[in-house]
Amino acid sequence: MLPVEVPPILLLLQLLLSPTSAFFPNIWSLLAAPGSLTHQDLTEEAALNVTLQLFLEHAPPGRPRLRLEDYKGRTLLADDIFAAYFGPGSPSRRFRGALGEVARANAAQDFLPASKNNPDLHFDAERLVQGRTLLVGALRETVVAARAFEHTLARQRLGAALHALQDFYSHSNWVELGKQQPHPHLLWPRLELWSLAQVGDPTCSDCEELSCPGNLLDSTLLTSGYFGMDPPKPPGKCSHGGYFDQSSSQPPRGGINKDSTSPRFSPHHTLHLPAAEVALLASIEAFSLLRSRLGDGGFSRLLDITPASSLSFVLDTTGSMGEEINAAKIQARRIMEQRQGGPMEPSFYVLVPFHDPGFGPVFTTSDPDSFWQKLNEIQALGGGDEPEMCLSALELALLHTPPLSDVFVFTDASPKDAFLTNRVESLSRERRCRVTFLVTEDPLRAQGRVRREALSPSRFEPYEAVALASGGEVIFTKDQHIQDVAAIVGESMAGGLVTLPLEPPISIPGETRVFAVDRLLRNVTVRVHGDISGFWIKSPAAQTSLDFLFHFGIPVEDGPHPGLYPLTQPVAGLQTQLLVEVTGLVSRQSPEAGRPHFSHVVLRRVPQGTHLGRVLLEPVGPPERGLLAASLPPTLLSGSAPFSLELLGQDGGGRDLRRTAPQPCSVAPVLLELSGPPGSLAPGSKVPLSLHVASFSGPQDLDLRTSVNPSFSLTSNLSRARLGLNESAWGRLWLEVPDSAAPNSVVMVTVTAVGQGASPGPPTHAFLRLLVLAQASQDQLETPAHSAGRVLPPATPTLLSSTLVTQGRAGGRVVGRAWWGTLGGALFLLGCSSW
């Protein structure tokens, strides 16, 4: 008899089809066992189910209510449900981008040094109670971060929680015990995990075959397998199993994992699909619990369930900025009034003022009235000299602005903090945010503000560098024209804005430049800057739902589960995969219209436009999913200058189709990884962090610089690294969190690798977000009913105590354990309950 009655699962429809016809291949699992199921697809399927449930319960503004019967027998696609709820052409790009953040954080648990070998994070080695503690803690951190509008950190913690949750059903014997529903106590910290195998209980018999269907000894005790040699496997205990598990060669041989359909990787491969089905139900339950704790608005912001962009302003508040501040207010008011209550109403607002010598504080809200009140309080007062702390304010805005958003900077001064240029460039690329500077200062003019010293005509180059890196613009104008120019704010926030390529990509005097307008576009905009006698054209923007997301990965072949290690940018010397996700492919369009598709990707040097290469895009899975992959040879990525991505294809009628990524990409000279503890930080604690830097393109002499925001004490034992080809350096950092640290706040740690010598490459940055968590309140730990059992504290994560330089094959140390494969075509809706 269970101590509590758990919330019932409302199973409306179950459509798990055969893996050969209906399961989507995973974009991370290029080397997976055919027909296997993945962490990423379990995560995306669960999120789509709960999102559809939210849509079914709330009638869309001005549109008919969605009906469940319209989705029976269909594969759930984000583009389809967005078009049905928000209207045809409504972009799902931000929603799919948010899901990608969660999915990549999920996969990263198998690659990051601080997490890949920790059995508590994977429910290995019978660390079931400890694993449940970290799982519930990660979900609690997700709630706290989301409530603080720290959605990037919330998605990272959610990905970690879902990884552990899904691992439980693959790495334990829950399914072998005959269970077909999720464990009713796994998400509740005060309920006992009953019938756990103890240290002296033998759990497995010896199995010398790849497939071990009958090697479990006891039919009632809950256990999980040991992986590798740390911790060592006690006599009589089960191994994880698989080709790369060293413990599986020690008696009792074999293992019990259900990670894939291949006996080479999974001794219990025949139970892979049942384990994935229960893991999917558990993932839906976790999403539903988050929805109940955050409310529908908070849950929608967590997953960016909206076609609208955020509104993010960085405002110079010195005395000469009256006209510019007024223009920002007019544009903000116009956007809020025109879009109020509609699908394109901004879901989030960010405001950061600056002057000299100060900047901030940042103001964030989801309430348009609160934003307008705060914006209306800003006045242009004092501080009329140049330069100003613009990049510091912009960095603060980028840290709090949701990914795939626009940030608008209003100023008439150059930056005093130009030393932040590279870091802000890197942060804008990591956030995929486009930065537009509206500067009421002609760079050739000398009159205007009071200046403490003569200023260089090139003083605005940091703005141009950030704009180039982020895909934005620097627009110089005058006070009398700022009202008209500021209209770019509303234009840039139009839904479904895409960038079209120009031919030739750079301006040649006297030569005509051409762009193609395909039949899927509407509202084409061309921006002309400068004097009419010598104008230039910014790549024209147009509105359409057909767009694409992209990211990169390193193929990993020599670990327990082959796949791709996710990266935000390519690394010099490494074979890199480009992974493309086409958005706006609505499956319900008329068959006669045909389906648009992309076949190649063209790489061009930025800003020169030099053609670097053209690479074939290979479809991954059924065409309606829009997943494509391309192998980018290291020779294409040998330079340090940024490059652009341009997709080539055809629409349904066979006519040319082209799309360009809004932001250029850059190649990192080295691989730089920064990871922290598996849980949150506590005020008054000293926390170890792990640092790893590796070179795969040749010798590197690197300075490693650290910073932390807020200004906590941060020390490191690795400040310089001299690396040869395929060499790595490992170091340790210590972060001291003061007693006075604000609870439920975020700490950002940044490590920068700066090359030394005659021709250093661009700096490489690694960012790590950590949550300072107050003592858990009663409602955050609320259980469905009676409390039972004690939860043991997690084990301390193992980190290297000194610097270590190692040499080996490129990519050999980023291997980890992942659950590779796919899952699709399932619709499960769960009733919500309190958590």
Side-chain angles (χ1 to χ4, degrees), residues 121 133-145 153 157 160 676-689 712 735 737 741-747 768-776 780-781 794-795 797:
L121 297 176
T133 300
L134 293 183
L135 164 60
V136 173
L139 288 174
R140 183 169 61 244
E141 292 157 20
T142 301
V143 171
V144 172
L153 179 58
R157 300 309 298 146
S680 58
L681 310 179
S685 63
K686 188 173 183 179
V687 183
L689 310 177
F712 296 166
L735 174 66
V737 185
N744 303 340
S745 62
V746 171
V747 178
L768 178 64
R769 295 171 178 84
L770 300 167
L771 181 67
V772 178
L773 193 62
Q775 184 175 2
Q780 289 173 334
L781 293 179

Side-chain angles (χ1 to χ4, degrees), residues 563-724:
L564 259 71
Y565 174 47
L567 296 173
T568 57
Q569 63 184 122
V571 176
L574 287 181
Q575 180 70 46
T576 302
Q577 290 286 328
L578 169 68
L579 304 168
V580 173
E581 191 172 356
V582 181
T583 65
L585 294 174
V586 179
S587 64
R588 298 187 183 189
Q589 60 190 7
S590 59
E592 60 272 12
R595 184 181 300 279
H597 69 280
F598 293 101
S599 58
H600 293 81
V601 59
V602 173
L603 281 70
R604 298 184 187 274
R605 186 66 68 202
V606 173
Q608 298 86 352
T610 309
H611 186 276
L612 296 177
R614 171 177 164 139
V615 182
L616 180 68
L617 285 168
E618 297 283 355
V620 183
E624 65 267 17
R625 185 68 187 273
L627 302 181
L628 307 167
S631 180
L632 303 180
T635 53
L636 281 181
L637 307 173
S638 56
S640 59
F643 62 93
S644 65
L645 296 175
E646 178 184 333
L647 298 193
L648 305 180
Q650 294 182 328
D651 63 17
R655 291 172 288 269
D656 288 345
L657 193 62
R658 302 171 69 180
R659 294 290 185 271
T660 298
Q663 293 93 10
C665 311
S666 64
V667 180
V670 295
L671 176 67
L672 187 63
E673 298 175 300
L674 179 63
S675 54
S680 58
L681 310 179
S685 63
K686 188 173 183 179
V687 183
L689 310 177
S690 176
L691 177 63
H692 173 224
V693 58
S695 173
F696 303 104
S697 59
Q700 295 281 350
D701 186 5
L702 303 169
D703 274 346
L704 296 168
R705 305 168 185 175
T706 62
S707 64
V708 59
N709 185 17
S711 299
F712 296 166
S713 174
L714 180 66
T715 57
S716 172
N717 67 353
L718 183 62
S719 59
R720 191 76 178 262
R722 295 179 174 86
L723 304 175

Side-chain angles (χ1 to χ4, degrees), residues 40 75 227 273 287 403 480 555 563 647 716 744 821:
Q40 176 172 0
T75 297
F227 184 88
L273 294 182
F287 274 111
Q480 60 264 37
L647 298 193
S716 172
N744 303 340

Side-chain angles (χ1 to χ4, degrees), residues 425-652:
E425 287 181 63
S426 183
L427 187 59
S428 70
R429 282 191 293 263
E430 189 233 15
R431 307 290 291 166
R432 300 284 175 93
C433 284
R434 182 168 49 193
V435 181
T436 297
F437 294 87
L438 304 178
V439 184
T440 48
E441 169 83 336
D442 189 327
L444 301 180
R445 265 197 300 130
Q447 68 271 19
R449 284 182 175 227
V450 176
R451 294 174 173 84
R452 286 186 290 265
E453 57 186 18
L455 296 174
S456 168
S458 63
R459 63 191 181 276
F460 293 104
E461 288 183 356
Y463 296 164
E464 295 167 355
V466 172
L468 177 64
S470 68
E473 305 175 67
V474 180
I475 301 177
F476 292 100
T477 186
K478 299 178 181 179
D479 282 351
Q480 60 264 37
H481 302 311
I482 187 62
Q483 296 287 356
D484 295 329
V485 173
I488 190 177
V489 176
E491 296 171 1
S492 299
M493 293 182 63
L497 197 69
V498 299
T499 303
L500 303 178
L502 285 164
E503 286 292 347
I506 57 174
S507 179
I508 301 175
E511 185 169 337
T512 302
R513 304 180 73 187
V514 178
F515 61 94
V517 180
D518 58 71
R519 65 190 184 93
L520 300 177
L521 298 173
R522 65 186 189 276
N523 299 339
V524 178
T525 302
V526 177
R527 294 186 185 137
V528 180
H529 301 256
D531 297 328
I532 193 66
S533 60
F535 64 84
W536 59 278
I537 298 177
K538 179 70 179 177
S539 296
Q543 288 177 262
T544 178
S545 61
L546 186 68
D547 200 356
F548 69 97
L549 299 164
F550 68 92
H551 41 277
F552 302 95
I554 302 172
V556 175
E557 303 176 14
D558 53 353
H561 305 283
L564 259 71
Y565 174 47
L567 296 173
T568 57
Q569 63 184 122
V571 176
L574 287 181
Q575 180 70 46
T576 302
Q577 290 286 328
L578 169 68
L579 304 168
V580 173
E581 191 172 356
V582 181
T583 65
L585 294 174
V586 179
S587 64
R588 298 187 183 189
Q589 60 190 7
S590 59
E592 60 272 12
R595 184 181 300 279
H597 69 280
F598 293 101
S599 58
H600 293 81
V601 59
V602 173
L603 281 70
R604 298 184 187 274
R605 186 66 68 202
V606 173
Q608 298 86 352
T610 309
H611 186 276
L612 296 177
R614 171 177 164 139
V615 182
L616 180 68
L617 285 168
E618 297 283 355
V620 183
E624 65 267 17
R625 185 68 187 273
L627 302 181
L628 307 167
S631 180
L632 303 180
T635 53
L636 281 181
L637 307 173
S638 56
S640 59
F643 62 93
S644 65
L645 296 175
E646 178 184 333
L647 298 193
L648 305 180
Q650 294 182 328
D651 63 17

